[in-house]
Amino acid sequence: MELNERAELDTSQANDLGRGSGGSGGGFGIPIPGGGGRGGIIGIVVAVLVALLGGGFGLNAMTNGDEGGQAGGTDLEQLCSTANSERLDDARCRNLLYVNSIQDYWKKAYPELGRSDYEVTTTNFFQAAVNTGCGQADSGVGPFYCPADRKVYIDLSFYDELASRFGAKGEFAQPYVLAHEYGHHVQNLLGTNAKAGQGDQSGPRSASVRLELQADCYAGAWARHATESKDKTGQQPLFKSITEADISQAIDAAEAIGDDSIQERSGGRVNPDQFTHGTSEQRKRWFNQGYDRGDPKTCDTFGTDQL
């Protein structure tokens, strides 16, 4: 993967909120699917149960909390300016570039789904804790999308957890994570989240699993077209190149956080009745479906019995 050093980044698509105060979030925390508390699977790493989850019903809109109470945020406009020759060494600027690429893709692909213009939204980088439209969250819940305020949230230290605990060390695992979360944003805009929320929330053929696998497929479709994405000026590519090795890194990340893999790592038995994301094989296969076809219209996990 080679990023374009000359690309002009659209800093309006991300905020660095800094370290959260852990203050009020409307009185409710974000509910974590797949069990309560921090024992069992959640005890292994809370982040992975909700990472690449962040869906419409996985993170219920319980409150109308705001994003206040943050301290120490960075001015991304200055940090990620082309005047800073070392900007892409900073994880915030690299992830901003990924966000720009993902949303540039959806600006073109979303109308092809028979809808109007894509609604650009914001990724919020935070540390430790954050208040959202879905309530208060800490870093333990991993990256997530909040349908209430239509924003993506991530503590970038999650990537260290993904690499150290689950072996997904490749750099391209990072844009895959974000592309999955923006897949949930697309689902929210399409109304898929709301429909899925009326179905089963766990089980091998549940609405939850179908929602997550579709987001993986959407991430694959973006990856196919990532080198076509342009910067803020519309002239410079954001990625100079993406290799098959990069795609393999995304696939490795998808496999690492399959329900069966997580349950096995927790030391317990594999229980399909508790699946909320799909197996490692399914996550890999649906990412590949999106990547091989390059068309989000082929990501209909709700209209097939072949999950």
Side-chain angles (χ1 to χ4, degrees):
M1 177 175 68
E2 185 179 4
L3 307 181
N4 185 1
E5 295 282 352
R6 296 189 297 171
E8 185 174 336
L9 305 184
D10 183 355
T11 57
S12 70
Q13 294 185 17
N15 296 311
D16 179 19
L17 303 181
R19 181 169 293 277
S21 66
S24 63
F28 293 91
I30 291 179
I32 299 175
R38 292 178 181 263
I41 296 172
I42 294 178
I44 296 297
V45 50
V46 178
V48 178
L49 280 179
V50 182
L52 315 185
L53 166 65
F57 60 87
L59 294 167
N60 295 316
M62 296 182 66
T63 74
N64 290 315
D66 57 30
E67 297 166 14
Q70 310 305 318
T74 300
D75 181 0
L76 294 180
E77 186 172 2
Q78 180 177 357
L79 177 69
C80 302
S81 167
T82 53
N84 177 7
S85 61
E86 299 179 349
R87 63 183 180 142
L88 294 183
D89 293 333
D90 191 289
R92 290 163 293 185
C93 296
R94 290 198 308 276
N95 277 265
L96 171 62
L97 184 148
Y98 305 152
V99 168
N100 283 180
S101 174
I102 294 162
Q103 298 211 92
D104 187 63
Y105 165 72
W106 280 113
K107 288 177 185 177
K108 302 178 181 69
Y110 187 76
E112 295 177 3
L113 297 175
R115 299 301 179 112
S116 57
D117 292 343
Y118 169 75
E119 180 182 316
V120 173
T121 194
T122 305
T123 289
N124 287 325
F125 305 137
F126 71 95
Q127 297 176 47
V130 66
N131 294 326
T132 81
C134 297
Q136 184 178 331
D138 62 28
S139 298
V141 302
F144 63 93
Y145 172 74
C146 172
D149 58 25
R150 297 187 175 186
K151 291 181 174 62
V152 173
Y153 294 86
I154 183 170
D155 184 329
L156 295 176
S157 66
F158 167 76
Y159 295 136
D160 296 331
E161 196 80 15
L162 189 62
S164 63
R165 289 182 181 263
F166 288 85
K169 299 179 180 180
E171 181 74 17
F172 204 75
Q174 298 187 18
Y176 160 66
V177 167
L178 289 170
H180 179 104
E181 298 308 332
Y182 272 92
H184 286 310
H185 177 55
V186 171
Q187 290 169 327
N188 196 32
L189 297 179
L190 293 172
T192 311
N193 280 358
K195 292 179 181 177
Q198 300 171 11
D200 295 336
Q201 304 304 292
S202 64
R205 304 174 67 81
S206 63
S208 174
V209 166
R210 293 176 187 274
L211 196 75
E212 298 306 322
L213 295 179
Q214 185 177 64
D216 281 335
C217 186
Y218 284 166
W222 160 77
R224 166 59 67 182
H225 298 282
T227 55
E228 302 167 16
S229 59
K230 302 297 184 182
D231 71 350
K232 183 179 179 179
T233 68
Q235 302 299 316
Q236 292 283 344
L238 289 161
F239 287 90
K240 286 187 174 180
S241 66
I242 292 174
T243 67
E244 288 302 316
D246 296 322
I247 299 304
S248 294
Q249 291 171 4
I251 293 171
D252 288 346
E255 286 188 291
I257 44 75
D259 284 317
D260 53 341
S261 177
I262 294 174
Q263 289 179 359
E264 288 173 354
R265 287 174 182 270
S266 75
R269 66 183 180 87
V270 174
N271 183 357
D273 289 339
Q274 294 182 355
F275 285 1
T276 57
H277 293 63
T279 66
S280 294
E281 187 277 332
Q282 287 174 320
R283 302 202 72 165
K284 172 183 176 179
R285 180 157 46 83
W286 279 100
F287 176 88
N288 278 330
Q289 166 81 3
Y291 182 72
D292 291 342
R293 300 292 183 87
D295 183 354
K297 292 192 295 295
T298 67
C299 296
D300 184 10
T301 56
F302 290 87
T304 180
D305 293 328
Q306 303 299 317
L307 290 178

